Amino acid sequence: MNNYSRERLIREDYDYMEVLRKSLSKDQLEKLLRIKDPELHRWIADIILYAKPSRIYLITSEEDFEYIRKAALRNKEEIPTRYPNHTVHFDGPRDLARDRKNTRILLPGGEKIPFINTYDRAKGLMEVKELFKDIMRGKEMYIGFYCFGPKNSEFTLHAVQVTDSAYVAHNENILYRVCYDEFVEKAPNMFYARFLHSAGERDENGWSKNIDKRRIYIDLQDYTVYSVNTQYGGNTIGLKKLMFRFCIYKGYLEGWLCEHMFITGIKGPGDRITYFTGAFPAGCGKTSTAFMSDTIVGDDLAIIKPVNGIPHAVNPEIGMFGIIDGVNPEDDPVLYKLLTSPENEIIFSNILLTEDGEPWWNGRPESPKPGINYAGKWWPGKKDENGKEIKPSHPNARFTVSLRTLPNLDPRVDDPNGVPVGAMLFGGRDPDTWVPVEEAYNWVHGIITKAAALESEKTAAILEKAGVRELNPFAILDFLPISIGKFIKLHLDFQEKVDKTPKIFSVNYFLKDEHGNYIADKVDKKVWLKWMELRVHGEVEALETPTGLIPLYQDLVKLFNKYLDKEYTEERYEKEFTTRIPEHLAKIERVWKIYEQIPDTPPILFQELRQQKQRLKKAMEKWGTRVSPFKLDRK
Ligand code: SPV
Ligand code: MN
């Protein structure tokens, strides 16, 4: 990539070295100049002139971490707790989740992509640059150099984060590998993304004041993101969901996959490990599935490329920015222990900090004591201006912690070649259609009917009404910088690049019975995982339904007994694995209608859906609207 063509904040020529010499202390300047990239130097000088930070600090190794931790406390972006390694951050009541409306992909000429929030590039750049004028006055600015992936890996991308938030820098120090040495080694002949962030003016609570001027503008052409007047991690942590857009885009241009997926290892017979990746919209069981696995490589993102003909996955992150709501000692023993261990470095966001300095979230067994939370002072029974009770901790409250704190961290987490992918899972919040686990007939069937047709009820991770069902293909819709049609085609074509494709499964933990109660227990996912592991190796049979392949009753009985010490009744099995035909047909209608509006949808999508519909209709003629698994043939 030619770094010299990058977008500038200041067009005119000026002596940028002079600006750097004046604004950076001697040691900071030395650090910057060791990266031999005039375009980078010039960009930093532009920001200095433009946003006017009063001091500058570079994060170039783990030795800088302590400085950032202290800065976050000094800036009052984080509050200490009774545990020295645990801090709390509050985003403010209007800044608690990703802002879909104001997160826009900037495209030249105002090009539009269906279902994606795009905006005219020239207009967007002008608007957002204006917002950065003088915005860092009186503040310290942090510059971090990170890898998006393991060191010395063909999978890895690079990024520079510039921010006036020590909280953002602190998160990145935990979530990503500091990679200054690779910049020193490779620049200027390297690709890197640029993230410029400012929390903007903050009020006495530390919340960003100008929320109406919150913008997250993603300049696809220049691999640069401008994020301003916001603090919530999904809007601000450059290497998280902002880098992810660039990763998807680069993958699209180069023919590999960047996914919103965890990567975990499942133990099978003889202690073999089979690696799974899994895509779930936020708040739909992704983290809990990862923790139910035997080893964890990653909990949120995956870069997948062929290595010797086999798809391999790398986790670009080395930490978790996870949802804490509902994490309790019974259902999530490992995560709960990790989050309550004083020795782990943890940033909690938008939980309740009780007056005795204890971080409290929904899921802690004890009742919440008064303290401060995302809306200010909190006491039991506190109501908002509409008379609605304010929850002690927010449903999208998060924790940031290093993966290295995990007892079950996979030993291959830093492997520059990643881990081989045996299976891909797709799951959403679906009350009435998908069975708890089902295998696709083949790659294409899976990509279309499981991944592209993934639907889910909205959750608290976005600033919209929870509970409404929406199509969320690959659980990635919020992050796509290209049309979903192109993204599907990329996956269909990926088949040609590998000798063996992973098996594709759908999972659904949210199926309800006729009384509206969830049928499965939270821990049952263990059994579904173990069944899928056996399927990857062809070691159990399956029943053929009109929509895929499901477990045999007797296999589940054995697995429930072995892994959960639980009885699994025929009645439960029938309830869980009955094909609900009208619901499936309605789903196909919904999905069809959406893809009809997307001009570059691959035609094979409609073919697959049509075939699925025909199979369902045939089954309905034979058996009626409900097909019990006991009626089906073995595959
Ligand atoms: C998600 O919402 O999918 C997350 C958290 O992983 S965020 O950083 O907000 O995207
Ligand atoms: Mn995510």
Side-chain angles (χ1 to χ4, degrees):
M1 169 169 182
N2 178 4
N3 286 332
Y4 291 85
S5 66
R6 301 193 86 155
E7 183 64 30
R8 291 175 169 178
L9 284 164
I10 296 170
R11 292 278 157 105
E12 304 81 52
D13 274 333
Y14 65 96
D15 187 351
Y16 64 87
M17 281 305 296
E18 178 64 20
V19 172
L20 294 178
R21 271 194 293 270
K22 268 199 194 144
S23 319
L24 272 74
S25 68
K26 193 165 157 283
D27 53 333
Q28 300 298 321
L29 181 65
E30 254 167 38
K31 284 189 192 178
L32 181 62
L33 297 185
R34 278 188 65 208
I35 301 173
K36 302 255 172 300
D37 183 354
E39 188 59 38
L40 173 72
H41 304 158
R42 159 85 199 219
W43 185 55
I44 301 295
D46 275 14
I47 299 170
I48 293 169
L49 282 185
Y50 210 79
K52 303 205 175 58
S54 60
R55 288 183 311 284
I56 292 153
Y57 190 86
L58 273 72
I59 302 151
T60 57
S61 78
E62 293 192 6
E63 281 162 26
D64 298 310
F65 287 8
E66 189 53 24
Y67 182 89
I68 297 297
R69 287 185 199 111
K70 286 199 175 123
L73 295 171
R74 189 170 62 234
N75 298 347
K76 299 202 166 40
E77 296 179 75
E78 292 174 29
I79 308 172
T81 70
R82 60 193 291 191
Y83 310 104
N85 295 333
H86 296 184
T87 55
V88 177
H89 165 85
F90 295 115
D91 290 310
R94 293 192 295 150
D95 198 19
L96 291 158
R98 278 187 276 113
D99 180 359
R100 272 183 174 175
K101 213 172 116 251
N102 288 304
T103 304
R104 294 170 166 155
I105 306 281
L106 303 184
L107 295 176
E111 188 195 330
K112 292 208 167 28
I113 307 174
F115 296 95
I116 295 182
N117 195 359
T118 59
Y119 198 59
D120 179 69
R121 179 171 185 265
K123 246 168 71 185
L125 285 177
M126 206 151 76
E127 182 190 331
V128 81
K129 282 182 189 175
E130 200 52 42
L131 294 174
F132 272 94
K133 243 187 202 150
D134 300 340
I135 202 164
M136 295 185 187
R137 230 182 241 286
K139 289 191 185 180
E140 187 166 37
M141 181 172 100
Y142 310 96
I143 308 174
F145 301 88
Y146 300 98
C147 269
F148 194 65
K151 288 200 165 189
N152 303 312
S153 165
E154 293 283 318
F155 286 68
T156 292
L157 305 177
H158 295 83
V160 180
Q161 172 80 59
V162 177
T163 176
D164 60 12
S165 163
Y167 164 71
V168 167
H170 187 187
N171 270 282
E172 278 171 338
N173 291 345
I174 297 174
L175 294 172
Y176 306 97
R177 297 163 178 94
V178 174
C179 240
Y180 172 74
D181 47 347
E182 294 200 6
F183 277 81
V184 172
E185 190 189 317
K186 295 181 175 148
N189 302 311
M190 67 184 290
F191 163 85
Y192 63 90
R194 310 187 300 187
F195 301 106
L196 177 57
H197 165 255
S198 172
E201 235 182 298
R202 294 161 62 221
D203 67 12
E204 61 286 357
N205 293 303
W207 308 335
S208 293
K209 252 183 179 171
N210 303 312
I211 293 293
D212 56 320
K213 296 200 180 82
R214 173 172 55 204
R215 299 288 182 273
I216 303 102
Y217 281 4
I218 301 163
D219 184 1
L220 207 54
Q221 182 175 312
D222 190 36
Y223 292 99
T224 302
V225 178
Y226 305 83
S227 163
V228 62
N229 293 317
T230 175
Q231 297 185 47
Y232 172 66
N235 297 329
T236 58
I237 302 170
L239 279 94
K240 186 106 197 136
K241 290 309 194 321
L242 308 174
M243 186 68 170
F244 184 41
R245 268 99 166 174
F246 294 150
C247 182
I248 296 170
Y249 187 58
K250 254 188 145 281
Y252 165 67
L253 297 177
E254 296 170 10
W256 45 268
L257 309 176
C258 194
E259 304 277 10
H260 192 207
M261 291 179 175
F262 65 61
I263 309 168
T264 66
I266 312 295
K267 259 192 198 150
D271 272 0
R272 75 173 166 224
I273 294 273
T274 305
Y275 290 100
F276 287 24
T277 62
F280 299 68
C284 296
K286 189 171 172 185
T287 310
S288 59
T289 309
F291 275 88
M292 205 47 96
S293 304
D294 296 300
T295 70
I296 296 185
V297 180
D299 78 315
D300 197 35
L301 304 175
I303 299 176
I304 302 177
K305 292 184 176 184
V307 175
N308 300 326
I310 304 293
H312 277 61
V314 141
N315 176 14
E317 307 186 283
I318 194 61
M320 285 184 281
F321 177 63
I323 294 182
I324 201 166
D325 195 59
V327 173
N328 68 78
E330 228 164 87
D331 300 320
D332 322 276
V334 177
L335 185 54
Y336 190 83
K337 181 154 186 285
L338 197 148
L339 295 175
T340 47
S341 299
E343 64 274 18
N344 293 334
E345 178 178 9
I346 306 173
I347 313 172
F348 296 98
S349 65
N350 307 321
I351 54 146
L352 168 72
L353 179 62
T354 66
E355 53 199 8
D356 46 9
E358 189 72 33
W360 188 97
W361 60 87
N362 171 35
R364 299 280 303 224
E366 65 281 3
S367 328
K369 293 186 191 157
I372 41 172
N373 76 355
Y374 60 91
K377 268 203 164 147
W378 184 88
W379 55 90
K382 184 183 177 189
K383 297 197 170 60
D384 66 15
E385 63 268 28
N386 302 317
K388 229 182 109 202
E389 202 152 306
I390 297 179
K391 289 188 182 140
S393 74
H394 191 266
N396 196 32
R398 301 254 168 182
F399 62 87
T400 306
V401 72
S402 166
L403 283 179
R404 306 212 192 269
T405 60
L406 289 178
N408 56 341
L409 181 66
D410 193 275
R412 293 173 71 175
V413 70
D414 294 309
D415 192 329
N417 287 319
V419 296
V421 184
M424 278 186 181
L425 277 47
F426 294 92
R429 230 168 233 275
D430 171 0
D432 59 15
T433 311
W434 275 1
V435 295
V437 61
E438 185 176 61
E439 181 184 326
Y441 303 129
N442 53 49
W443 178 255
V444 175
H445 178 249
I447 290 300
I448 303 302
T449 69
K450 308 291 189 200
L454 183 61
E455 289 182 301
S456 188
E457 291 178 335
K458 287 186 200 181
T459 68
I462 44 170
L463 293 168
E464 284 170 38
K465 201 166 173 276
V468 179
R469 180 150 44 189
E470 65 177 354
L471 186 73
N472 194 345
F474 298 79
I476 213 168
L477 195 57
D478 280 357
F479 312 108
L480 278 185
I482 54 169
S483 144
I484 179 63
K486 290 194 172 72
F487 191 69
I488 294 169
K489 174 135 194 321
L490 174 70
H491 285 77
L492 297 172
D493 294 347
F494 190 70
Q495 198 177 10
E496 310 301 322
K497 297 201 162 68
V498 292
D499 300 333
K500 194 169 174 232
T501 48
K503 271 192 188 289
I504 295 180
F505 297 90
S506 58
V507 290
N508 177 23
Y509 311 139
F510 301 93
L511 191 65
K512 290 180 177 167
D513 64 15
E514 62 279 18
H515 310 295
N517 300 318
Y518 292 122
I519 304 177
D521 289 335
K522 272 187 164 182
V523 290
D524 294 358
K525 17 179 118 70
K526 184 98 194 168
V527 168
W528 318 140
L529 289 169
K530 294 291 183 184
W531 180 76
M532 290 186 271
E533 201 279 338
L534 294 171
R535 282 298 296 169
V536 170
H537 298 276
E539 291 173 7
V540 276
E541 287 183 73
L543 295 173
E544 188 165 349
T545 81
T547 53
L549 307 167
I550 59 169
L552 265 57
Y553 172 62
Q554 55 270 37
D555 290 328
L556 291 183
V557 169
K558 277 189 229 150
L559 293 170
F560 267 93
N561 181 27
K562 180 166 176 192
Y563 292 104
L564 300 176
D565 198 17
K566 256 171 58 172
E567 191 194 355
Y568 188 64
T569 63
E570 286 194 2
E571 197 195 344
R572 262 280 295 284
Y573 174 66
E574 191 162 40
K575 239 187 206 176
E576 296 196 310
F577 287 94
T578 283
T579 309
R580 302 168 170 210
I581 295 188
E583 288 85 347
H584 267 288
L585 290 172
K587 175 184 170 75
I588 292 175
E589 285 307 304
R590 287 193 299 273
V591 172
W592 186 291
K593 276 207 183 109
I594 292 178
Y595 282 107
E596 251 179 359
Q597 302 166 49
I598 301 171
D600 56 9
T601 299
I604 199 166
L605 179 137
F606 299 107
Q607 254 175 54
E608 281 290 336
L609 292 182
R610 197 177 296 118
Q611 283 166 8
Q612 183 123 318
K613 195 160 134 184
Q614 282 161 358
R615 284 192 299 271
L616 284 159
K617 285 204 161 153
K618 231 169 101 190
M620 190 153 76
E621 275 163 27
K622 195 163 161 194
W623 288 305
T625 55
R626 295 273 181 271
V627 184
S628 159
F630 289 114
K631 293 184 182 153
L632 299 168
D633 295 330
R634 281 187 194 201
K635 170 79 179 169

